[in-house]
Amino acid sequence: MKVLLVPNLTKTDALLHTESVAYRLRSLGVSCMMPPKYGASCAGLPVTFCAADEGLEACDVVIAIGGVGTIIHSAKEAAAYGKPVLGVNVGRLGFVAGLETNELDRLERLISGDYFVEERMMLEVILRREGREESYYALNDAVLSRGALSKILDFRVLLNNANVGDYRADGLIVSTPTGSTAYSLSAGGPVIDPALRCLLLSPICPHSLFTRPVVFGEDSRLRIQASSSEEGVNCYLTVDGQVAIPLQNDEPVRCRAAARTAKLLKLKNTNFYEVVNHKLAERRS
């Protein structure tokens, strides 16, 4: 078995946990690879260094060691190659993580085959500019929101070219079921079982108290346009909190279920609701 390790070394003790993973995998006879950017920090580890795309092509599993952002980014990269990702949580909540740092003894299940892979729906976000279409992929969500000094925005939402409604709000979140426990949850959206395939639209601080989140079917194609009375750039599109794109007034953003899926590897038998309850209890404490 070959594993590509992708750590976020800016996290506290991430290097220590990366070392633990690398040495434990070596003891199990697993070959480990890492992208060359980690060469200086991880030179003494039992790994070989190769370009990220070569590692993704050659590996059987990607192990991402970090917080939610690291795991989500790795899962999206691996999805393009059809490879599963095991997340080792070095962050806080880690809803998409498969292991905590005190559970590394479970890595031997990779060898025995005692694991399962969850397929998670992804979101494709499409912008058309200067005659070209640009696609961005989200495992959690795409957010259209105002800048720090901008006024409230007016949104028009169309479903399959039919008008859904108009919103006045600080922003709109289009999320996958996986993303229902992220920003959307904080905005008052429902928790959705990640086994489902649907799109969730959640307004951020809506002007109307009667505005509520809406769930759309997996074949839905949403078109969202934001406008403001202010001149210039007033709205930003953010994809999984990692890509931020300024939008012009009434520039259309299209969202749909992506053809590719993210594969999350699980070494524990806990179900989604156990994880959610446990993680939310951690957030309250």
Side-chain angles (χ1 to χ4, degrees):
M1 175 176 281
K2 295 181 179 179
V3 167
L4 179 67
L5 297 180
V6 184
N8 179 356
L9 298 182
T10 65
K11 292 288 185 180
T12 303
D13 294 330
L15 180 57
L16 176 64
H17 297 308
T18 301
E19 292 175 352
S20 297
V21 171
Y23 281 107
R24 187 173 291 270
L25 289 175
R26 186 183 68 169
S27 71
L28 296 171
V30 176
S31 299
C32 293
M33 301 171 287
M34 295 182 78
K37 66 179 181 179
Y38 301 109
S41 301
C42 303
L45 298 187
V47 301
T48 58
F49 295 95
C50 63
D53 56 346
E54 293 178 9
L56 285 167
E57 185 70 41
C59 75
D60 300 296
V61 175
V62 177
I63 296 183
I65 305 165
V68 170
T70 304
I71 299 169
I72 285 177
H73 179 74
S74 298
K76 291 194 294 184
E77 293 288 318
Y81 293 82
K83 303 299 175 70
V85 172
L86 172 64
V88 177
N89 182 33
V90 187
R92 297 184 63 188
L93 290 178
F95 280 111
V96 292
L99 288 180
E100 301 297 323
T101 54
N102 62 351
E103 298 173 328
L104 297 184
D105 58 305
R106 296 176 186 259
L107 286 172
E108 63 185 28
R109 295 188 178 185
L110 284 176
I111 309 304
S112 64
D114 185 15
Y115 62 83
F116 59 97
V117 176
E118 289 183 352
E119 291 210 24
R120 299 286 184 94
M121 176 189 136
M122 294 176 63
L123 190 68
E124 183 179 9
V125 185
I126 304 167
L127 286 178
R128 186 175 181 83
R129 287 179 164 177
E130 300 178 355
R132 295 190 331 173
E133 283 192 350
E134 298 182 36
S135 289
Y136 304 88
Y137 292 91
L139 179 53
N140 265 353
D141 51 42
V143 180
L144 287 83
S145 60
R146 65 188 182 93
L149 301 178
S150 300
K151 296 180 180 178
I152 196 168
L153 293 169
D154 292 295
F155 295 92
R156 169 152 291 183
V157 180
L158 291 88
L159 168 65
N160 302 332
N161 295 320
N163 187 45
V164 171
D166 297 326
Y167 295 80
R168 297 207 76 206
D170 284 354
L172 289 180
I173 305 167
V174 182
S175 72
T176 64
T178 298
S180 71
T181 55
Y183 192 5
S184 176
L185 184 64
S186 298
V191 173
I192 298 178
D193 192 313
L196 300 178
R197 290 181 59 86
C198 60
L199 281 69
L200 170 62
L201 180 71
S202 302
I204 304 169
C205 299
H207 187 68
S208 170
L209 295 177
F210 300 101
T211 302
R212 292 292 181 264
V214 182
V215 179
F216 298 95
E218 67 171 304
D219 295 326
S220 300
R221 294 172 180 254
L222 298 180
R223 177 187 171 112
I224 303 173
Q225 293 172 252
S227 62
S228 170
S229 58
E230 296 182 9
E231 295 183 359
V233 175
N234 304 290
C235 183
Y236 293 84
L237 167 66
T238 307
V239 182
D240 274 344
Q242 297 169 337
V243 177
I245 304 159
L247 300 174
Q248 299 299 323
N249 266 348
D250 290 318
E251 183 173 10
V253 176
R254 290 180 287 158
C255 301
R256 64 188 182 191
R260 67 181 63 167
T261 59
K263 296 176 173 60
L264 300 182
L265 194 148
K266 300 294 181 181
L267 300 177
K268 299 185 291 185
N269 293 325
T270 53
N271 66 47
F272 169 71
Y273 299 100
E274 288 178 301
V275 173
V276 169
N277 288 331
H278 177 68
K279 294 296 183 180
L280 292 181
E282 287 183 351
R283 177 182 284 183
R284 289 193 297 267
S285 60

